């Protein structure tokens, strides 16, 4: 028979105080640092850095409850040791929530809180910029996520107008609104690209 091995599910996570990174641990004992802005693993900690992983959790034949409890405590102590070492002193208000109930990391952004946090550009690693420049974190993340969608939607909309015949060509009001809307979109896109370049540093 063929066995397809899946990815070990995440069993523990902790959002760092800067609200930019999340530390996770899976059932194999692997501890990873995730970047919320990119949605990817930024660092995988080696056994040399965090110590060997305790035996896999879960009930096994001949394993007592005391042994299970000890293994769980060892895992938590190992995880917390890494968290204390990498957790920055900077504290930022929460603009998202995270959970790992399905065995994978999920990020939730609610309208009531996701636009309430602003962070100085220097704290995001942006170089050669004013010390007073701030970014609304939730706004920047959402703009980045939907930038491609907006561009594609605008292109399809313009193609649809071009293929609708000559009815709209003589309408000065419609044409004026379309031109004004196009200029606003172009300006907004240029501003977003400029912010992205600053964040990339």
């Amino acid at each position: 028979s063929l066995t397809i091995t899946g990815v070990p599910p995440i069993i523990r996570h902790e959002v760092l105080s800067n609200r930019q990174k999340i530390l996770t641990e899976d059932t194999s004992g692997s501890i990873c640092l995730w970047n919320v802005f990119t949605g990817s693993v930024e660092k995988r900690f080696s056994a040399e850095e965090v110590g060997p992983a305790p035996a896999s959790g879960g009930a096994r034949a001949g394993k007592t409850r005391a042994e299970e409890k000890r293994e769980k405590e060892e895992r938590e102590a190992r995880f917390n040791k890494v968290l204390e070492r990498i957790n920055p002193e900077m504290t930022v208000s929460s603009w998202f929530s995270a959970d790992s109930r399905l065995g994978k990391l999920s990020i939730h952004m609610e309208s009531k809180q996701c636009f309430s946090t602003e962070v100085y550009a220097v704290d995001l690693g942006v170089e050669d910029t004013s010390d007073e420049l701030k970014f609304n974190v939730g706004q920047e993340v959402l703009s980045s996520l939907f930038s491609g969608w907006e561009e594609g939607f605008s292109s399809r909309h313009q193609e649809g107008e071009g293929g609708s015949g000559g009815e709209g060509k003589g309408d000065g009001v419609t044409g004026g609104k379309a031109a004004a809307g196009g200029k606003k979109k172009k300006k907004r896109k240029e501003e977003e690209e400029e912010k992205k370049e600053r964040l990339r540093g």
Side-chain angles (χ1 to χ4, degrees):
S1 62
L2 176 65
T3 301
I4 300 177
T5 304
V7 178
I10 293 173
I11 57 173
R12 186 177 293 106
H13 75 275
E14 190 70 36
V15 180
L16 271 60
S17 60
N18 61 7
R19 306 294 173 182
Q20 299 175 28
K21 313 287 177 66
I22 300 178
L23 190 68
T24 64
E25 181 184 8
D26 60 33
T27 53
S28 70
S30 176
I31 296 179
C32 299
L33 184 65
W34 292 74
N35 188 316
V36 179
F37 296 153
T38 62
S40 60
V41 174
E42 186 174 282
K43 178 178 177 61
R44 296 181 186 274
F45 292 90
S46 64
E48 289 75 16
E49 294 176 289
V50 300
S56 178
R60 295 199 308 265
K63 184 176 173 183
T64 65
R65 290 185 178 181
E67 290 174 332
E68 291 178 8
K69 182 180 179 180
R70 185 174 65 253
E71 289 177 4
K72 182 179 179 180
E73 290 174 348
E74 288 176 356
R75 280 180 173 272
E76 291 178 352
R78 179 172 171 264
F79 182 84
N80 290 334
K81 185 177 180 180
V82 178
L83 179 63
E84 290 174 3
R85 190 170 77 235
I86 67 171
N87 204 9
E89 295 182 0
M90 179 181 69
T91 301
V92 175
S93 58
S94 178
W95 56 275
F96 70 90
S97 60
D99 73 65
S100 53
R101 289 173 294 182
L102 299 178
K104 59 182 180 180
L105 191 61
S106 300
I107 302 297
H108 305 276
M109 298 176 66
E110 302 291 341
S111 58
K112 292 182 179 180
Q113 67 172 160
C114 70
F115 300 118
S116 62
T117 301
E118 290 188 339
V119 179
Y120 285 103
V122 292
D123 291 331
L124 293 174
V126 181
E127 299 178 353
D128 300 325
T129 187
S130 169
D131 292 341
E132 300 301 317
L133 179 63
K134 290 183 178 181
F135 288 104
N136 186 302
V137 184
Q139 180 179 327
E140 294 301 322
V141 169
L142 288 176
S143 296
S144 178
L145 285 173
F146 289 101
S147 60
W149 176 87
E150 182 181 10
E151 183 178 348
F153 178 81
S154 299
S155 299
R156 289 193 296 272
H157 185 63
Q158 290 172 2
E159 290 174 1
E161 288 181 343
S164 61
E167 295 180 0
K169 294 181 179 179
D171 189 343
V173 175
T174 303
K177 288 182 178 179
K183 290 180 179 179
K184 288 182 180 179
K185 289 179 180 178
K186 184 178 180 181
K187 183 178 179 181
R188 185 165 64 249
K189 184 177 180 181
E190 290 175 350
E191 291 175 349
E192 290 175 357
E193 290 297 328
E194 184 179 351
K195 287 182 180 180
K196 288 179 183 177
E197 288 298 325
R198 287 177 176 175
L199 286 172
R200 291 191 189 105

